[in-house]
Amino acid sequence: MFSWKLISKTAAVVFFLCNFADAIDNGLAITPQMGWNTWNSFGCDSDQDLLLSTAQKIVDLGLRDVGYNYVLQDDCWSAGRNSTGHLQADTTKFPDGMASIADKIHDMQLKFGIYSDAGSLTCGQYMGSLGNETIDAQTWASWGVDYLKYDNCYNEGQSGTPLITSARYRAMASGRHILYSMCNWGEDFPWKWAQTVANSWRMSGDITDTFDRPDSTCPCTGDQGIDCALPGFACSTMNILNKVASFPDKGINGAWNDMDMLEVGNGGMTDVEYVTHFSMWVALKSPLIMGNDLRNITPATLSILSNPAVLAVSQDPDVRPAFRIWRYAVGDTDAFGQGEIQMWSASLSGGDALVVLLNAGAAKRQMNATLVDIFWRSGPGGRATQVGQAWDVYDLWANRMDDATAQQIINAAANRSAAADPSTIGTQFRYNATAMGGYAAGLAQNSSVLLGKKIGVVQPHGSLTATVPAHGVGMFRLRLHSSDGDTPSHREL
């Protein structure tokens, strides 16, 4: 996160709060972390009541049980250091203290996260952690913190490098496993080295709630993702997506490319664009951190954030990030002069495949992906054996929860004493990962709610064709074709 007050050359001072365990071996973020953060909707205007009321909404709306289990306090919580040098919370905003808040959030079967910075000040110009890494790690552990977002402002030129990172990481063992979310905006190419340091790393400047609007404060184009001197902020969905396209494979289990927090539900994009935003963050295995005001959630937003067939792609531990197979400019540009189409594919567990057709043009169009393209990375030029096989096609958005059902859930969550239990509403549209033992278990059992709607078959050497709205996506799971009544055949790609 950048403050509007500054644009400075900074880089992360990196650490992870755990007893010398490599991030990919610490048991955290085996699938991309999911949760909610205060910043996108509230900035510095957060407090104890907001954290606790939002945590309760996460539970009541069923979002905890689909996987959103971190409640994250971003910047502006600190009142500086006390006489012993320990960080202390602003008692006006957080009168009960952070340890009490963490306890209450844990009682809801959720986890609590905090924010700090690798500089002398945070981006909001509160007290940072530079030079105080050990004592701050101990403080957060004593509060029961489960997650740290570590930003990158005012670092006094102490840039994040593998050497600095490793030394500080090892100096900050706290005895508590804390998920480490490194927020250095991709300045020092963390995708090259951060896999054994952090559970995730920001790979671009800050997101803003637009689909493809260029902004001078996000000066690097999407094609400059691997060499961006000034990441900036106010970066659009498409800008960030095109930046990460060069290195999706750098995200691995326990260590992920972070495309920044979700803007779904914040009002700057259309419903179609929010579906695209969410779909691409899922396909690229980015952390899914909600940034909307859950106290005023709309039915459309709830149905996007809780789509089980899409979340199954994110939360399947055997799924690899998608690769962009092709990209073409189109003539139907939008008001910002932007227009392109793309096709992405990925291997899914059990031998399934993911296909995403992205229409970033200004007009609805028919798009297609050949099996040669879909399985290109298994054998270029049609050499993959999968090209000669038939594939059942499942549309991952076809069974999206309708607005009426979503509104029933919202109404029941708003009146917790009502006879209607929100968890019993719309079960045909949701998957209770808590009760079912996770998404991998449901996929192993061929849970229909995780597969989407079967819409057809692609014959050997054929193509998947779909009509995709402007700024929209078609998102599909391909499964090796089986006759009706047969058990689907699975194998690794």
Side-chain angles (χ1 to χ4, degrees):
M1 175 186 63
F2 280 89
S3 168
W4 64 270
K5 300 176 183 177
L6 67 134
I7 302 175
S8 60
K9 182 180 179 182
T10 55
V13 177
V14 191
F15 63 88
F16 178 70
L17 311 179
C18 179
N19 280 331
F20 309 121
D22 287 345
I24 57 172
D25 294 328
N26 65 16
L28 301 175
I30 299 303
T31 59
Q33 63 265 32
M34 298 173 62
W36 176 84
N37 180 289
T38 58
W39 187 258
N40 281 3
S41 286
F42 300 99
C44 284
D45 295 328
S46 59
D47 57 23
Q48 175 174 311
D49 289 342
L50 174 66
L51 289 175
L52 295 178
S53 63
T54 300
Q56 190 63 59
K57 280 293 183 185
I58 290 172
V59 175
D60 293 343
L61 291 167
L63 292 168
R64 178 194 63 188
D65 290 333
V66 304
Y68 298 96
N69 58 0
Y70 287 99
V71 179
L72 310 176
Q73 169 60 49
D74 210 284
D75 203 353
C76 313
W77 58 267
S78 169
R81 298 186 182 277
N82 62 20
S83 60
T84 61
H86 291 83
L87 285 172
Q88 54 189 349
D90 182 333
T91 55
T92 300
K93 292 182 177 181
F94 307 97
D96 294 341
M98 290 303 187
S100 175
I101 292 171
D103 286 344
K104 291 180 173 67
I105 288 174
H106 292 156
D107 287 344
M108 300 181 206
Q109 304 304 306
L110 295 167
K111 299 175 183 179
F112 177 57
I114 204 78
Y115 166 102
S116 193
D117 190 281
S120 54
L121 298 173
T122 69
C123 294
Q125 300 184 345
Y126 289 73
M127 187 66 68
S129 290
L130 182 62
N132 294 280
E133 291 85 359
T134 300
I135 192 172
D136 289 353
Q138 294 168 350
T139 297
W140 296 320
S142 73
W143 290 347
V145 167
D146 305 295
Y147 187 118
L148 174 68
K149 176 182 174 181
Y150 204 51
D151 220 332
N152 193 29
C153 294
Y154 297 108
N155 68 13
E156 301 185 5
Q158 299 188 39
S159 299
T161 68
L163 180 61
I164 291 175
T165 302
S166 178
R168 292 194 173 181
Y169 163 54
R170 293 180 182 279
M172 295 195 63
S174 69
R176 181 179 178 84
H177 290 292
I178 299 178
L179 189 152
Y180 178 49
S181 171
M182 189 169 71
C183 185
N184 59 337
W185 324 310
E187 274 198 343
D188 47 5
F189 317 112
W191 50 86
K192 293 182 177 181
W193 51 264
Q195 290 84 354
T196 56
V197 174
N199 291 106
S200 62
W201 54 87
R202 282 280 304 282
M203 43 60 58
S204 76
D206 289 2
I207 193 171
T208 195
D209 193 10
T210 62
F211 182 72
D212 64 359
R213 181 185 183 275
D215 194 294
S216 60
T217 60
C218 181
C220 299
T221 68
D223 294 326
Q224 296 175 294
I226 59 173
D227 190 20
C228 180
L230 182 62
F233 51 100
C235 298
S236 71
T237 296
M238 287 299 298
N239 178 282
I240 294 172
L241 175 64
N242 284 330
K243 283 174 177 170
V244 79
S246 297
F247 47 87
D249 57 310
K250 300 304 182 182
I252 59 176
N253 296 101
W256 305 104
N257 282 307
D258 183 356
M259 298 164 70
D260 206 359
M261 296 170 286
L262 294 167
E263 292 283 6
V264 178
N266 284 333
M269 290 187 263
T270 67
D271 182 74
V272 168
E273 291 167 345
Y274 281 137
V275 167
T276 299
H277 169 32
F278 189 71
S279 298
M280 299 313 301
W281 264 231
V282 163
L284 272 297
K285 301 289 279 189
S286 176
L288 300 177
I289 305 299
M290 300 179 291
N292 56 311
D293 183 353
L294 292 176
R295 302 168 305 175
N296 297 303
I297 193 169
T298 66
T301 297
L302 180 61
S303 69
I304 291 173
L305 294 171
S306 55
N307 183 331
V310 176
L311 289 174
V313 174
S314 167
Q315 296 300 297
D316 184 344
D318 293 329
V319 171
R320 303 161 182 86
F323 286 86
R324 190 173 65 194
I325 305 302
W326 50 253
R327 176 193 188 195
Y328 301 108
V330 295
D332 47 294
T333 57
D334 60 20
F336 306 115
Q338 307 296 305
E340 60 181 288
I341 57 174
Q342 304 180 7
M343 193 279 278
W344 297 70
S345 68
S347 297
L348 303 182
S349 63
D352 292 357
L354 175 72
V355 181
V356 183
L357 296 170
L358 168 59
N359 176 18
K364 179 174 67 175
R365 61 177 15 91
Q366 188 176 77
M367 298 180 66
N368 69 82
T370 67
L371 291 179
V372 171
D373 288 339
I374 293 168
F375 295 104
W376 184 266
R377 298 190 64 84
S378 298
R383 297 198 305 273
T385 58
Q386 296 94 328
V387 174
Q389 297 171 313
W391 294 86
D392 294 333
V393 180
Y394 295 82
D395 186 334
L396 302 189
W397 284 102
N399 287 336
R400 177 182 174 181
M401 185 190 305
D402 61 271
D403 283 353
T405 300
Q407 187 63 61
Q408 290 179 40
I409 295 170
I410 293 169
N411 292 344
N415 185 7
R416 297 171 59 214
S417 63
D421 179 355
S423 68
T424 66
I425 302 170
T427 55
Q428 71 273 34
F429 300 113
R430 296 196 289 177
Y431 177 77
N432 189 326
T434 303
M436 299 302 294
Y439 285 87
L443 288 167
Q445 298 167 15
N446 293 317
S447 173
S448 60
V449 74
L450 300 183
L451 299 181
K453 180 180 180 180
K454 185 177 177 181
I455 60 171
V457 179
V458 176
Q459 297 300 330
H461 305 283
S463 297
L464 168 60
T465 301
T467 300
V468 184
H471 290 186
V473 291
M475 192 175 194
F476 308 96
R477 177 184 289 266
L478 269 58
R479 173 163 286 190
L480 198 62
H481 177 63
S482 61
S483 301
D484 290 343
D486 291 345
T487 299
S489 177
H490 285 131
R491 64 176 180 77
E492 280 298 317
L493 295 180

